[in-house]
Amino acid sequence: VRFANGKLQHPDSLRFTVYRNRDMAHPRKKHRRILVSETERLCYVGHNFGSEVMKCNSLCRYFVGVLDKNSGQMEVYNAEIFNMQPLLSDQRILRLQVLPHEEFKVFLETVAVEGAVGFVSPGCTGCFNVCFCLVQMDLCIEAFGTSKQKRALSSRRMNAVGNDIVNTAVTKAAANVIDAKGVTALMQDMAQDDVQNISAFLPPCHEDADRPEHVYKFEDILSPAEYEALRVPAATLANITAEEMAKRAEERSHCSFVLEELKFLPTDEKSRDHKARCLWFLDTLIKFSQLKMIKKKHPMGPECPHIISRKLMKNFTSLTYNDGSIQNLISASMKAKITAYVIALALHINNFQTDLTVLQNDLKLPESRILDIAKALRLRVSKAKGVPGLENDQNHKLGTLSLPLPMQKAPEGQRKRKKMN
């Protein structure tokens, strides 16, 4: 947990109660939890649903490890972060009750902490008839409460005032920012943030390069050791015959980009081998992007060199905890990273101009997504006629890497985001 109004001086003394939704058949409600805790002065409540839920729980997975010092083994459990908000309710409806004299003291503490109000009248045999209604009666605590209860009342009042001060300050600060920059500039900043989020998954960019091939260096995509390891598996592509190519095209053994490029392998042995290695790795990257949860040690088969399998698992997957074990997941951000590397490698294959629509179809991405990544790679995007026989062959997008690199500009308008319920 974390507390919205600061750090506690003695957090070890707290005790928590968890409530879960009874509707265990509902796919969403069965995961709903309410966490409650109480300090000397305040009650705290946290939820994992509703408008106040923390976004970090949907963006990340959290775990708690419990170490057995005797065995040296650790057990890992799923966890969530709860943002504990102080309960500052000023009004509450409670039914007519008859409380024994001792329980009335407990009730006054509840009044002080939660802001419940009421009228008090003496009853017989040491009891009090307590009738509660929607009326502000803090005077009840001021008149009959103990010093501890009065401190709780004072603390609640100060928190209420503090909330008003903070809200006023935040509103004023936001107004100052809007006045200084303007709404248009703020929208552009938001768009630029989206571009920067994508940029975190791009290959290293050398903006001061004097040639296109040095902007995204080939060594940053495939190291010399990885490139050497591709010699054996890529030999089948380098020596492919026309009959084998027709058979692979019919069986769709490779993606459309690779099948098309295999028709134009160079006659020079060294250049032919180089292009075959690049095509084999690009085809492997695209096939790898279609996986979701990696459960096998060698997901691309035994013919994939070990150094390439390790590269795929280390650079293009995220670790996640599932079914009692840690697994590798190809998340949306990792798929964006794979797409960026596929485009960069395709640029090296095609003399730094490539058909983005063919890659988009192979990667099974929306056009807007691959165009965003291409623009983040600083490509110039233009319309072009595609290869006959392919989908939308009259309306293809061509990506070109040329110098000087275009400036990274935020999109002119934000696309309408899908409303999340």
Side-chain angles (χ1 to χ4, degrees):
V1 300
R2 75 178 190 185
F3 292 86
N5 58 336
K7 295 183 179 180
L8 297 183
Q9 294 179 353
H10 306 289
D12 296 341
S13 63
L14 283 183
R15 293 295 177 267
F16 294 87
T17 305
V18 180
Y19 299 91
R20 63 175 176 83
N21 197 296
R22 289 182 175 178
D23 191 355
M24 298 301 292
H26 196 285
R28 290 185 178 178
K29 291 183 178 179
K30 67 179 182 180
H31 298 294
R32 292 182 175 181
R33 299 289 186 271
I34 298 176
L35 192 63
V36 179
S37 182
E38 184 176 356
T39 67
E40 180 182 349
R41 296 187 174 186
L42 286 174
C43 279
Y44 289 90
V45 179
H47 307 78
N48 67 347
F49 61 92
S51 60
E52 296 180 358
V53 66
M54 297 180 66
K55 293 182 179 180
C56 62
N57 283 323
S58 62
L59 297 173
C60 307
R61 294 285 299 278
Y62 293 92
F63 306 96
V64 172
V66 180
L67 179 65
D68 187 337
K69 294 183 179 180
N70 296 326
S71 65
Q73 293 183 341
M74 177 178 287
E75 295 186 3
V76 181
Y77 300 89
N78 282 308
E80 284 184 280
I81 293 183
F82 281 80
N83 191 34
M84 305 300 289
Q85 299 277 358
L87 186 63
L88 303 174
S89 174
D90 286 332
Q91 295 178 337
R92 184 179 178 185
I93 301 177
L94 295 175
R95 60 185 175 83
L96 179 68
Q97 299 180 358
V98 178
L99 300 178
H101 186 73
E102 292 300 323
E103 293 185 18
F104 181 65
K105 295 180 180 179
V106 178
F107 152 70
L108 279 183
E109 292 187 11
T110 305
V111 172
V113 173
E114 298 185 0
V117 297
F119 297 100
V120 182
S121 60
C124 59
T125 63
C127 296
F128 288 88
N129 294 325
V130 187
C131 176
F132 299 95
C133 61
L134 284 175
V135 180
Q136 184 65 37
M137 289 290 289
D138 287 338
L139 293 176
C140 174
I141 302 169
E142 293 178 351
F144 303 105
T146 64
S147 58
K148 177 182 176 181
Q149 294 153 7
K150 291 176 181 178
R151 286 198 305 270
L153 174 61
S154 177
S155 176
R156 176 164 55 83
R157 286 174 171 173
M158 285 190 294
N159 274 308
V161 173
N163 284 345
D164 292 339
I165 295 173
V166 170
N167 291 335
T168 303
V170 170
T171 304
K172 185 177 180 180
N176 292 338
V177 172
I178 294 173
D179 291 340
K181 299 195 68 172
V183 177
T184 304
L186 290 173
M187 294 297 291
Q188 291 176 350
D189 287 348
M190 291 171 61
Q192 187 65 28
D193 288 343
D194 289 341
V195 173
Q196 291 173 354
N197 289 338
I198 294 176
S199 299
F201 302 101
L202 303 182
C205 179
H206 304 275
E207 297 187 9
D208 56 349
D210 56 350
R211 301 173 65 182
E213 54 265 37
H214 295 154
V215 176
Y216 298 106
K217 293 182 179 180
F218 188 79
E219 295 78 11
D220 292 331
I221 302 172
L222 279 169
S223 69
E226 294 162 353
Y227 181 77
E228 177 59 29
L230 294 175
R231 179 176 56 85
V232 174
T236 56
L237 295 182
N239 302 321
I240 194 169
T241 63
E243 293 78 11
E244 289 175 342
M245 192 180 300
K247 182 180 179 181
R248 294 193 183 195
E250 183 180 353
E251 295 175 349
R252 307 293 295 175
S253 301
H254 304 291
C255 63
S256 299
F257 181 90
V258 172
L259 290 172
E260 188 62 28
E261 290 299 323
L262 284 174
K263 300 176 183 177
F264 307 102
L265 286 175
T267 55
D268 175 66
E269 184 178 351
K270 184 176 181 181
S271 300
R272 188 182 184 91
D273 174 64
H274 173 74
K275 186 171 183 178
R277 296 190 199 195
C278 294
L279 289 176
W280 192 94
F281 182 65
L282 185 143
D283 190 59
T284 301
L285 269 180
I286 291 178
K287 290 176 180 176
F288 188 73
S289 73
Q290 305 307 316
L291 305 177
K292 292 184 179 180
M293 191 72 72
I294 312 298
K295 299 181 180 179
K296 301 178 181 178
K297 188 175 182 180
H298 301 287
M300 305 313 296
E303 68 278 3
C304 182
H306 176 70
I307 190 173
I308 300 299
S309 293
R310 187 171 60 186
K311 178 186 182 70
L312 296 175
M313 300 292 280
K314 180 180 179 181
N315 296 342
F316 300 106
T317 65
S318 303
L319 291 178
T320 184
Y321 184 77
N322 187 46
D323 293 334
S325 62
I326 296 177
Q327 297 176 348
N328 295 81
L329 170 73
I330 300 180
S331 59
S333 59
M334 286 295 107
K335 186 158 185 175
K337 184 176 183 179
I338 293 174
T339 302
Y341 276 76
V342 165
I343 294 175
L345 186 56
L347 290 171
H348 279 275
I349 294 171
N350 277 338
N351 198 24
F352 303 97
Q353 188 176 74
T354 189
D355 192 326
L356 296 173
T357 303
V358 175
L359 295 177
Q360 170 207 329
N361 293 332
D362 286 337
L363 290 160
K364 299 179 182 178
L365 291 173
E367 184 182 78
S368 59
R369 184 62 170 167
I370 199 166
L371 290 182
D372 284 344
I373 296 173
K375 290 174 182 177
L377 285 165
R378 314 285 282 276
L379 302 188
R380 289 180 169 87
V381 179
S382 58
K383 292 182 180 180
K385 185 177 179 179
V387 179
L390 294 179
E391 186 180 355
N392 299 325
D393 60 330
Q394 299 295 327
N395 188 26
H396 278 221
K397 296 294 190 299
L398 200 66
T400 305
L401 180 64
S402 59
L403 298 177
L405 294 176
M407 296 294 295
Q408 280 188 333
K409 294 182 179 179
E412 294 182 1
Q414 288 284 294
R415 290 187 298 274
K416 186 175 181 181
R417 296 182 183 271
K418 183 179 178 181
K419 184 177 180 181
M420 302 296 290
N421 293 324

